[in-house]
Each structure stands twice: as structure tokens, then as C-alpha cells.
Amino acid sequence: VVDVAAHRDPGSRRLTLADVAAAAGVSQATASRALAGSPRVNARTRERVWSIADRLGFEPNRAARSLRRGRTSAVGLVVPDVAVAFYAAALKAAQEVLEAAGYHVLVVNTARAARRERAALRTLRSHQVDGLIVATSGGYEDMGVPAVFLDSLPPELGEGAVALANEDGIARLVRHLVELHGHERVAYVGPPDQAGPGEEPLVHSTGRERLEGFRRAIGAAGLALPPEHVRLSDPACSERVARALARELLAGPARPSAIVAGADTLALGVLEGARDREVRVPDELAVVSFDEPPYADLLDPPVTSLDRHDSELGRLAAQRLLAAFEGVPLPPDAPPVTRVPLALKVRRSCGCPGA
Amino acid sequence: VVDVAAHRDPGSRRLTLADVAAAAGVSQATASRALAGSPRVNARTRERVWSIADRLGFEPNRAARSLRRGRTSAVGLVVPDVAVAFYAAALKAAQEVLEAAGYHVLVVNTARAARRERAALRTLRSHQVDGLIVATSGGYEDMGVPAVFLDSLPPELGEGAVALANEDGIARLVRHLVELHGHERVAYVGPPDQAGPGEEPLVHSTGRERLEGFRRAIGAAGLALPPEHVRLSDPACSERVARALARELLAGPARPSAIVAGADTLALGVLEGARDREVRVPDELAVVSFDEPPYADLLDPPVTSLDRHDSELGRLAAQRLLAAFEGVPLPPDAPPVTRVPLALKVRRSCGCPGA
DNA sequence: CTGAAAGCGCTTACAG
DNA sequence: CTGAAAGCGCTTACAG
């Protein structure tokens, strides 16, 4: 029923290389070489072919080229949710790098489901993508194609991986609360540390790293950590869940004096939960966030958080993939995961006077 | 230099239909028909081919299929900036609809430059995309492929267009300020009403519609509108520019008592500008926003705005494109542009007591 | 119901 | 420096 061709002007069959070659009075082979900028073609001929192709508005058929070459100049980008600012920013940055190198990008959403991730990967394989950038939700399997991982890491690291300095970042937040503000009852609301039941575990998943970072930092500070002061959210880190968790945390008698949120959406949920309980931030409760919320300065109160490097993550992953394409191996002494360090941006939610 | 093949295991040439056919003991033609679910193949044969293909993990080569069929089952999505929440949400929704219908999506960023948009469109044509969804920045030209427009509209409307009810939305905001709060000096900070110099004009561009909507609503309310009370931002609607514009608006003697922001980022900039001038919102200045800012409830003050329909826009555009693929024309009496109506969400920045 | 064969539009050894 | 020809992996008239 689909009739795309009908949309085109009646006689205007799509232009092919043969048309360009005929118009230029050369063989198709020469036309192909000329357009590819091959040095094995006369400079004048090349100019002529170029100008004719340009005048006619010729664009080579990529399907034909891909079929013939056995590669597509396409890269698949697999993300849990493009509508999340973090992934959108990473995608944009990765795309800029890849497009500049002549690759185009196929984006697929997995909705954080391992099964959908596997389906997405198969689709991308059938597209013959030359490589993958994957923010895995636990469904990654080798497609026989170079893969670079972003943010969340599977057991096997493929051609490389780029992630935030999760442990170190959490430690910074905890130290600020403890060393500067003297908090002793610090609770945590963070992303879950494992995939859903029945899904592959993420050995170095972001959630686990942040959670372990928190435990370690609290331990290093010599503080007690009652189990009920550690709360994990749903995988999407939804504000709604964090709000409920914060309400629970603030209900008991051993109420924390500070909360570390393991993601910006969780921090926003915590602020709402505090408001629900009429607990004033920062006077009665300090709140700090791993990721910077959008417009952190305009929030009530402005939220102290680590700075964001979403774009940098995307850019680095793309660069790593391009390096893999060119056969540059990971240096043997290089750490398997490139870690992007994070700095603290102090605002008012922690109790500091703010900017 | 690129050697993707080297990544694959030595002997494991990628599986082809011929392999499946051989394993099933049928011809390639029969295997093809079986996998396509053609009724013109014996049910038992079909089952056998299916199970073998499944066991082998066969995925047909899309480049070959596209080349043969003359269509790709790919749709191009052209947006100014995927990292902007509005486009990210629209993209996600469009993608869900298109993937469910067997299409995949190529996303291209234009960075709001008409020239980059033209380049993107040519790339997509060379991909032989079957259709386009375009949030144009003024560079659209017909590629001989069905196109549906999203949010911003070019002179010629292609197969259809989906946009927000811009005029009506602005009118709602103005009426709320005037009729409920009695404002008489209402200023406007909005997106620009035309493309940059030297670029094609956008006849129905979002910026122009909102601006005209504002002028009309102020006129309908019988209020004066000094020219200096209308300020247009940069095309990206950056917070920084809006902040400067708000500072200017609030400096003069004829200071407005209310500001309508034509986009959420502009509203946030206006809040910052007011803070810079130590003008309290909403006590000394009411602020309302066209789009809802992220976490509007947590801002200081919570921002009164129209509700968002980003996903709906994407979904509708995708559905319209699928209809065009199936040859469903726009009904002759249908308006050329589907308008999504917007409702007011009252919070505190307008002067209302809030929720 | 099944198969042999042509052909989609490129690129690239292979000759010259 | 240029051309004729093969072939990438599918799908689909055309025969049977």
C-alpha cells in the first residue's frame, strides 16, 4: 500500500551515478572515482564530474554504497531514554563528533528494559552499523561490531567505556556535608544498584558505584549508617518515588540531618518530600545532589551539586569509537574505563550562604 | 584504514539469506518469502525456515533490502537541537510511533542554521529515507519525499503540519494577567519572529505567531503597548539573553507590572533579570511563561505557564506521516495545520496564591 | 507451492 | 588515466 514513488514528479526517476557519468561523457567507474576524490583520475575530468554532479544535485544512494562496501558509515546509539536531559546532551555531543567524521547516527530508545535493548541491538545489526555507543540497561550482547559504553557498564567492556567518577563524586558530596557542615546523620536516596529481577546484572552500574561510594565515604568519615538511611529508587530515578522515599526518611524519630541524592531528579523529589513534611531546606535538612538539576540557581533553595559533563561523556565515547574504527587499540596500561571527574558547585541547599 | 571486519571472529562471515536457505534445504526465493510471511509458501516450509533463521540468529541485510525495494523503512527527523527538552520529548514520542510501524529514525541536528538544515536534508535524501519530520529552521526544501512539519512551519506545508496553538495560548496568558490580576502594563519577552538575515522567512513561525498573539491580545484588552515593552530574544531563546532583556525592561521609568515570556527558558531568564534588579516576583512583577519550565513547582516562585504537549506533537506528526505513507491524503476540508490546544496551569509567579 | 534469474546502484579489482 | 564487468544481499516478476 505504501507508495512513496508516487510522491515524486512523474518523470523524475531518482538520479543515479549512471546519469552523472552519461552527462559527463565518462564511464560509471570514472565518475565514481572522481566523486570519491580518487587521485587516479585526471584533474580536469574530476572537476567536470564534480560540477555536473553538483548541478544535477546528485546524491549517491547509500544503500547501494553500503551493500557494496560492506559497511554503512552508520553508528548506533542505544540509550534508555532520549527524553532525559543527560542522554539527550550526550547524544548531541556524540552526534557532532561522528557527523564531522562522516558517520550518521541511529538512535534507539530502550525504555530501560533489557529485552528492548536486545531487540534494538539486533535491529542495529541488521542495519549493519559500523559501531555502537551503548548506555546499557543490562541487555547488551556482542553483535560482532565495536561497541563503546557510556555511563553504565556491562561485564565485558568492548572497545572502551566512558563514565562519570561516581565514587569520587559521591565522596565529595559527603565530605562537604560532614567536614564543612558537621552533619552526622547523613542519608542517601539513590538509583538502584542492580537491574530488575531476571535481568543481567550490571557489574559496574552507576547506581552501584554511587551506593558503594556513599557507604565508603560515610565509613571513612567514621559515621554510623543505619540501614534505613539508605533508600534506592526505581531505575528511572523518578521524582515521584524519591518524594515518597524522602517522606519516609523524614517521618521516623531518627530523622537524618542531611540527604545525599544520587541523581538530580531524586534531589528534586527529595525537596518535594521535605516540603510535604514541612521540613525546611536547608535550615532543618541539608540536601545535595549528584547531578546538577536544570536551572539549579533558580530553585528554592538553589541546589548544591556536582557539575555536569553530559556532553563530554558523549564526545569522549564518540572519539573512542572513531579510534577503534581506525584500529587504535586501548593502550595496554590505560584504565578500561575513562572516568570524567566532577567538581562541587556550592549553592544554598547544603547550608552554605550561597552565591 | 577502517577495518570493521577484523573485529569479527575469523571464520564468521556475516550470515546471509543464502545460508538460511541452504540450511533449510530450500531456494533463496522461498526462504525470502517464508521470512516475509508470504501466504504463497507452504506452512510447514515456512515454519522450518523461521526456526532455522531464528536459531542461526539471522537478520536480513537492510542495505540490500532497501536497494532492492527502493525504499528504506527509515524516516528522517530534523530538529534544531536534540538537547532541548521540547525536541527530545517530541523525538521520543515520534520514534515510538514510527518504530511500532516498522520504521526506524535518523535524527539530525541543524543547530538552527538554514544551511545546516539543507545539508541534513540532502544527507537524509541520500539515505533514501521514506519520509521526513521537520522542525524547520528555514532551510527546508522539497526532497521529493513526504514531509510533515513540527512546531515551526515553512511556506509550503508538505503532507501536513502539527503545531501548538500559539496565538490562543498567548491570549490565555494575557487574559489571566489582565482580567484576573488587573495588569495594565504588560510586556513581552519572546522568541524572534523571523529567521536570521539572509535566511528564508518562516511564514508561520512559532515566534511570529506568539508575537502576533501577544499584540492582538493586548489590543483586545484595550491596553496600550509601548514599543519598548516588546523584546525579542535570540533564536535559541537563551536564558542569558532574556535575563539581559528583563534587566532593560525593569530599568526604565515606565516599568511593566507583568511580563509574558514566550518560552520557558525566557521565563527563567526573566526571573534572573528580576532578581538582578531586586524586583520581587510576583509582588512587584508578575511573570507567566508559554512553556512550562522543568520542575515549575520547585522554582522560586513556582511559574504559572501553559501545559506542555511536546510528546503529543511528536506523536501526531508521526501518525500523520504514516497516514501519508499509506496514501491517506489530508481531508480537503481539514485545516492544513493541526493545532494542539494548551491549558493554563496556575502557580504563584502570576500573583495567584498557588496550589 | 517452489526455483532460477534478473536487477536495485554502487565500488573496485582487473585489464588496458 | 580510463573502462568493462563482477558482485554486495536481497526481492520479485516470470515460469513451472
Side-chain angles (χ1 to χ4, degrees):
Chain A
V1 218
V2 178
D3 189 0
V4 172
H7 182 83
R8 297 203 289 268
D9 318 322
S12 84
R13 190 176 48 79
R14 196 160 277 184
L15 224 56
T16 109
L17 183 61
D19 300 321
V20 175
V26 296
S27 74
Q28 200 174 308
T30 298
S32 173
R33 281 190 280 252
L35 291 175
S38 157
R40 301 171 46 78
V41 64
N42 182 296
R44 256 212 293 283
T45 312
R46 185 164 52 222
E47 287 309 315
R48 188 152 40 89
V49 174
W50 262 101
S51 79
I52 284 175
D54 196 48
R55 180 157 51 74
L56 267 44
F58 170 71
E59 286 287 340
N61 180 322
R62 295 234 187 184
R65 172 181 287 175
S66 299
L67 181 57
R68 171 62 226 233
R69 283 198 183 154
R71 52 191 213 82
T72 49
S73 299
V75 166
L77 188 41
V78 179
V79 291
D81 187 348
V82 266
V84 167
F86 172 82
Y87 297 113
L91 151 64
K92 181 184 173 188
Q95 188 168 240
E96 249 152 41
V97 171
L98 292 167
E99 280 183 359
Y103 289 83
H104 48 270
V105 177
L106 282 161
V107 186
V108 199
N109 252 328
T110 62
R112 302 192 151 81
R115 214 181 38 183
R116 282 193 59 176
E117 182 173 331
R118 269 187 291 273
L121 288 164
R122 269 195 280 269
T123 304
L124 290 170
R125 181 178 56 171
S126 95
H127 271 287
Q128 322 281 116
V129 292
D130 295 341
L132 293 164
I133 295 177
V134 184
T136 186
S137 299
Y140 179 75
E141 48 195 31
D142 191 352
M143 291 284 129
V145 149
V148 172
F149 297 95
L150 181 82
D151 187 47
S152 209
L153 314 177
E156 297 289 328
L157 282 187
E159 299 297 320
V162 185
L164 298 174
N166 290 310
E167 275 212 38
D168 180 63
I170 289 283
R172 255 167 232 263
L173 293 170
V174 170
R175 283 205 306 268
H176 183 80
L177 291 172
V178 173
E179 295 174 7
L180 211 80
H181 295 283
H183 286 282
E184 299 186 343
R185 302 193 314 283
V186 182
Y188 178 70
V189 175
D193 66 336
Q194 44 191 319
E199 305 192 342
E200 283 87 317
L202 296 183
V203 165
H204 287 286
S205 91
T206 301
R208 180 170 310 187
E209 288 178 0
R210 293 189 191 168
L211 174 59
E212 285 178 0
F214 181 75
R215 291 192 193 284
R216 208 160 294 175
I218 291 293
L223 297 180
L225 182 56
E228 67 272 23
H229 276 190
V230 171
R231 307 279 176 146
L232 302 186
S233 74
D234 56 323
C237 293
S238 66
E239 204 190 332
R240 189 181 46 76
V241 170
R243 181 179 193 162
L245 294 174
R247 274 201 303 254
E248 287 173 28
L249 274 169
L250 298 175
R255 192 213 267 181
S257 64
I259 295 181
V260 173
D264 60 337
T265 46
L266 300 176
L268 295 163
V270 167
L271 289 183
E272 289 175 333
R275 199 171 283 188
D276 293 341
R277 288 266 178 246
E278 297 184 353
V279 171
R280 280 172 299 133
V281 178
D283 304 355
E284 301 174 277
L285 176 74
V287 175
V288 297
S289 173
F290 191 92
D291 306 301
E292 183 165 277
Y295 303 99
D297 284 317
L298 288 173
L299 293 170
D300 178 21
V303 172
T304 294
S305 62
L306 303 172
D307 54 353
R308 296 199 90 112
H309 293 267
D310 314 1
S311 301
E312 194 174 352
L313 237 57
R315 193 166 46 72
L316 289 170
Q319 285 168 347
R320 178 68 208 121
L321 187 61
L322 290 175
F325 285 161
E326 283 169 18
V328 179
L330 281 169
D333 59 336
V337 182
T338 302
R339 292 285 176 178
V340 175
L342 307 164
L344 188 66
K345 283 189 113 171
V346 175
R347 296 195 183 82
R348 292 224 316 274
S349 64
C350 56
C352 281
Chain B
V1 218
V2 178
D3 190 0
V4 172
H7 182 85
R8 297 201 290 269
D9 319 323
S12 82
R13 190 177 48 80
R14 193 160 281 183
L15 224 55
T16 109
L17 183 61
D19 300 322
V20 175
V26 296
S27 75
Q28 202 175 306
T30 298
S32 174
R33 280 190 280 254
L35 291 176
S38 159
R40 303 171 44 78
V41 64
N42 181 297
R44 255 213 293 284
T45 313
R46 186 165 50 221
E47 287 309 314
R48 187 151 42 89
V49 174
W50 263 101
S51 81
I52 285 176
D54 196 49
R55 180 158 50 74
L56 266 43
F58 171 71
E59 286 288 339
N61 180 323
R62 295 234 186 184
R65 171 180 288 175
S66 299
L67 182 57
R68 172 62 227 236
R69 283 197 182 154
R71 51 189 215 85
T72 49
S73 299
V75 165
L77 188 41
V78 179
V79 292
D81 186 348
V82 266
V84 167
F86 173 82
Y87 297 113
L91 152 64
K92 182 184 172 189
Q95 189 168 241
E96 251 152 40
V97 172
L98 292 167
E99 280 182 0
Y103 289 83
H104 49 268
V105 177
L106 283 160
V107 186
V108 199
N109 252 329
T110 63
R112 297 173 206 281
R115 213 181 39 185
R116 280 192 61 175
E117 182 173 330
R118 268 188 291 274
L121 287 164
R122 269 195 279 269
T123 304
L124 291 171
R125 181 177 56 171
S126 95
H127 272 286
Q128 322 282 115
V129 293
D130 295 340
L132 294 165
I133 294 178
V134 184
T136 185
S137 299
Y140 180 75
E141 50 195 31
D142 190 354
M143 289 286 129
V145 149
V148 171
F149 297 95
L150 181 83
D151 187 47
S152 209
L153 314 177
E156 296 290 329
L157 282 186
E159 300 297 319
V162 186
L164 299 174
N166 290 309
E167 275 212 39
D168 180 62
I170 289 283
R172 257 167 230 264
L173 294 170
V174 170
R175 282 204 307 266
H176 183 80
L177 291 171
V178 173
E179 295 173 7
L180 210 82
H181 295 284
H183 286 282
E184 300 187 341
R185 301 193 316 283
V186 182
Y188 178 71
V189 175
D193 65 337
Q194 45 191 318
E199 306 193 341
E200 283 87 317
L202 297 184
V203 165
H204 288 285
S205 92
T206 301
R208 180 170 312 185
E209 289 178 357
R210 294 190 190 168
L211 174 58
E212 286 178 1
F214 181 74
R215 290 192 194 283
R216 209 160 292 175
I218 291 293
L223 297 180
L225 182 57
E228 66 271 24
H229 276 190
V230 172
R231 306 280 177 146
L232 302 185
S233 74
D234 56 323
C237 293
S238 65
E239 203 190 333
R240 190 181 47 75
V241 170
R243 181 179 194 163
L245 294 175
R247 273 202 303 254
E248 286 173 29
L249 275 170
L250 297 174
R255 194 215 265 181
S257 64
I259 295 181
V260 174
D264 61 335
T265 46
L266 298 177
L268 295 162
V270 166
L271 289 183
E272 289 176 332
R275 198 171 283 189
D276 293 341
R277 287 269 179 245
E278 298 183 352
V279 171
R280 282 171 298 133
V281 177
D283 304 354
E284 301 175 276
L285 177 74
V287 174
V288 296
S289 173
F290 190 93
D291 306 301
E292 183 164 276
Y295 304 100
D297 284 317
L298 289 172
L299 293 171
D300 178 20
V303 171
T304 293
S305 62
L306 302 173
D307 55 353
R308 296 200 88 115
H309 293 267
D310 314 0
S311 302
E312 195 174 351
L313 237 58
R315 193 166 47 70
L316 290 170
Q319 286 168 347
R320 179 68 207 121
L321 187 61
L322 290 175
F325 285 162
E326 282 167 19
V328 179
L330 281 169
D333 59 335
V337 183
T338 302
R339 292 284 175 178
V340 176
L342 307 165
L344 189 66
K345 283 190 111 170
V346 174
R347 296 195 183 81
R348 291 224 318 276
S349 65
C350 57
C352 282

